[in-house]
Amino acid sequence: MKLITAVVKPHRIDEIKDALRTFGVQGLTVTEASGYGRQRGHTEVYRGAEYEIDLVPKIRIEVLVEDADAEDVVDVVVKTARTGKIGDGKVWVVPVETVVRVRTGDRGPDAL
Amino acid sequence: MNGADTAFVLISAALVMLMTPGLAFFYGGMVRVKSTLNMLMMSFISLGIVSVLWVLYGYSLAFGDDLGGGLLGNFDHIGLKGISPETLTGGKEGIPVLAFALFQLMFAALTPALMSGALADRVKFSAWALFITLWVTVVYFPVAHWVWQADGWLFKLKVIDFAGGTAVHINAGVGALAAVLVVGKRIGFKKDPMRPHSLPLVMLGAALLWFGWFGFNAGSALAANGVAANMAMNTQVATGAAMLGWLVYERIRHGAFTTLGAASGAVAGLVAITPAGAAVNAFGAILIGLVAGAVCSWAVSLKFKLGFDDSLDVVGVHLVGGVIGTLLVGVLATGGVGGATQLGRQAAGAFAVMGYSFVVSWLLAKGVDKAIGFRASEDDEVSGVDQAYHAESAYDFSAVAGVSSARAAAPAAVSDKAQNKKVDA
């Protein structure tokens, strides 16, 4: 199994969620996050005083999938999250040892 | 008694009252979350302190008969002695003196509150309360006498200050500068970001100020007449023009039309038209507004260059705006009032108030600092003066805090049940 984590622009959440549901992903976790990449945030001006806001709002989406689906899910996320502008985010994949469904105690792929 | 004029002045008094809480929101939105309530309170407390002082001796010192030299009123009306509901200004066709006194009370309450923005985040609430108590007594009441009482020396000099450009705005702007020089900079000034925590609150405050300012300016005619109408019209157009002036300057200089700029520009225009509005026509008012907006927008950057921490730009907006309006009367006044002689009088009035207010405000701030300490401790300033002096916080953001307070309540509920069970058993 794999854990796919995507940190993306907040306003893309609905498209990504819908696309993943259409693809057949059963569940996901969304967290509000903040951070910066190479573009280092933005500047705000208050009465002429400039402030560098380097931590910009993002959302983090986490999805657990079977190994075979990982590449396709990454593609779905990347396609729906992309705006082409700077700050679109990152997606990464890490291996997962075990997954347990808390209610039933099911383990592995059955627990997804 | 003139019923129409009386009604107008009473309504104007209520409008001016709204300016102090309006100012509180204007300033409150501009500070960081941790001192929002303190900022609101520093303005709001003025309504408490000055209302009482005004009755005790303020009205008498400002508008009592002259004690000599046009410098101060006498003590004849201590506790509003000798003024009954039937006492009228200017004979049978006047308005009740009480209506005038109430109207002027609102000015006296607003003026010290204006200074609070310069000292945001870092002074003891008790010291602030003491400071404004002394300040209105020794600075505001006398200066109001100079400018508005028929015996006052600036009044006799024919300085035009229709609704308070010198007595209110220059006075408060300079007082704020003096206090800032005594109190010092906020921890992290020029280093840490101190951006406004709520621009909608700033906008709300600016809007309330704008609304209340019709009472402040038009009400100063003390009659429901053409002068009041001219002043109301000029208040509106100067303020609109000043907003445009500020925004255009800002767009050219900093690249954006900011919300804070629109709100600040409006206030700068209101300040600048205050002394001038009754002596100019609507076109003159627009000019005053445009100049005030652009120049004040430039002036707020001075504090970074000169290194004093006037937190919310009281100097840049009220002092500079007040000076612009006071001087431009000399240039733009209609009806044969304007000209070089008047410009000279206006400058003399402005500089007299600046000199007196700066020196005395500085001495008062020093005195308060020596007596009880003006400044908050470093710990209190860093963690926020709201909790230190008001035992409150403006907002509850944290879901975790919500949970823990729910938990704090839970054990009591549980133990109640447990007790009931015992009783049942």
Side-chain angles (χ1 to χ4, degrees), chain A residues 44-51 53, chain B residues 30 193-196 254 264 312-313:
Chain A
E44 293 181 8
V45 186
Y46 297 94
R47 282 186 177 159
E50 293 190 359
Y51 297 98
I53 311 296
Chain B
M30 270 191 275
M194 297 181 181
R195 59 196 173 112
H254 307 293
S264 311
L312 309 182
D313 300 310

Coordinates of all heavy atoms in Angstrom, one line a residue, chain A residues 44-51 53, chain B residues 30 193-196 254 264 312-313:
Chain A
E44 N 2.6 42.0 1.1 CA 1.5 42.8 1.4 C 1.9 44.2 1.8 O 3.0 44.4 2.4 CB 0.6 42.2 2.5 CG 0.0 40.9 2.0 CD -1.0 40.3 3.0 OE1 -1.3 40.9 4.1 OE2 -1.4 39.1 2.8
V45 N 1.1 45.2 1.4 CA 1.5 46.6 1.7 C 0.5 47.3 2.7 O -0.7 47.3 2.3 CB 1.6 47.5 0.5 CG1 2.2 48.9 0.8 CG2 2.5 46.8 -0.6
Y46 N 0.9 47.8 3.8 CA 0.0 48.5 4.7 C 0.6 49.9 4.9 O 1.6 50.1 5.6 CB -0.1 47.8 6.0 CG -0.8 46.4 5.8 CD1 0.0 45.3 5.7 CD2 -2.1 46.3 5.8 CE1 -0.5 44.0 5.5 CE2 -2.7 45.1 5.6 CZ -1.9 43.9 5.5 OH -2.5 42.7 5.3
R47 N -0.1 50.9 4.4 CA 0.4 52.3 4.5 C 1.8 52.4 4.1 O 2.7 53.0 4.8 CB 0.2 52.9 5.9 CG -1.2 53.3 6.2 CD -1.4 53.9 7.6 NE -2.7 54.4 7.8 CZ -3.2 54.7 9.0 NH1 -2.5 54.5 10.1 NH2 -4.4 55.1 9.1
G48 N 2.2 51.8 3.0 CA 3.5 51.9 2.5 C 4.5 50.9 3.1 O 5.6 50.8 2.6
A49 N 4.2 50.3 4.3 CA 5.1 49.4 4.9 C 4.9 48.0 4.2 O 3.8 47.5 4.2 CB 4.9 49.3 6.4
E50 N 6.0 47.4 3.7 CA 5.8 46.1 3.0 C 6.1 44.9 3.9 O 7.0 45.0 4.7 CB 6.7 46.1 1.8 CG 6.3 47.1 0.7 CD 7.0 46.9 -0.6 OE1 7.9 46.0 -0.7 OE2 6.8 47.6 -1.5
Y51 N 5.2 44.0 3.9 CA 5.4 42.8 4.7 C 5.6 41.5 3.8 O 4.7 41.3 2.9 CB 4.2 42.6 5.6 CG 4.0 43.7 6.6 CD1 3.1 44.7 6.4 CD2 4.8 43.7 7.8 CE1 3.0 45.7 7.3 CE2 4.6 44.7 8.7 CZ 3.7 45.7 8.5 OH 3.6 46.7 9.4
I53 N 5.0 37.9 3.3 CA 4.2 36.8 3.9 C 4.7 35.5 3.3 O 4.3 35.2 2.2 CB 2.7 37.0 3.6 CG1 2.2 38.4 3.9 CG2 1.8 35.9 4.3 CD1 2.3 38.8 5.3
Chain B
M30 N -6.4 48.0 13.4 CA -5.0 48.2 12.9 C -4.0 47.5 13.8 O -2.8 47.4 13.4 CB -4.7 49.7 12.8 CG -5.1 50.2 11.4 SD -4.4 51.9 11.2 CE -5.7 52.9 11.9
P193 N 6.8 41.9 11.8 CA 5.6 42.4 11.1 C 4.6 42.8 12.1 O 4.3 42.1 13.1 CB 5.2 41.2 10.3 CG 5.8 40.0 11.0 CD 7.1 40.5 11.6
M194 N 4.0 44.0 11.9 CA 2.9 44.4 12.8 C 1.7 44.9 11.9 O 1.2 46.0 12.0 CB 3.4 45.6 13.7 CG 4.5 45.2 14.6 SD 5.1 46.5 15.6 CE 6.4 45.8 16.5
R195 N 1.3 44.0 11.1 CA 0.2 44.4 10.2 C -1.1 44.3 10.9 O -1.3 43.6 11.9 CB 0.3 43.5 8.9 CG 0.1 42.0 9.1 CD 0.5 41.3 7.9 NE 0.5 39.8 8.2 CZ -0.4 39.0 7.7 NH1 -1.3 39.4 6.9 NH2 -0.3 37.7 8.0
P196 N -2.1 45.1 10.3 CA -3.4 45.2 11.0 C -4.0 43.8 11.0 O -3.9 43.0 10.1 CB -4.2 46.1 10.0 CG -3.2 46.8 9.2 CD -2.0 45.9 9.1
H254 N 3.3 52.4 -4.3 CA 3.4 51.1 -3.8 C 2.7 50.0 -4.6 O 2.7 48.9 -4.3 CB 2.9 51.0 -2.4 CG 3.6 52.0 -1.5 ND1 4.9 52.0 -1.1 CD2 3.1 53.1 -0.9 CE1 5.2 53.0 -0.3 NE2 4.1 53.7 -0.2
S264 N -7.8 55.3 5.5 CA -6.9 56.4 6.0 C -7.1 57.7 5.3 O -7.1 58.8 5.9 CB -5.4 55.9 5.9 OG -5.3 54.6 6.4
L312 N 0.1 54.0 14.9 CA -1.0 54.0 13.9 C -1.1 55.3 13.2 O -2.2 55.7 12.6 CB -2.4 53.6 14.6 CG -2.3 52.4 15.5 CD1 -3.7 52.1 16.1 CD2 -1.9 51.2 14.7
D313 N 0.0 56.0 13.1 CA 0.1 57.2 12.3 C -0.8 58.4 12.7 O -1.4 59.0 11.9 CB -0.1 56.9 10.8 CG 0.9 55.9 10.3 OD1 2.1 56.1 10.6 OD2 0.5 54.8 9.8

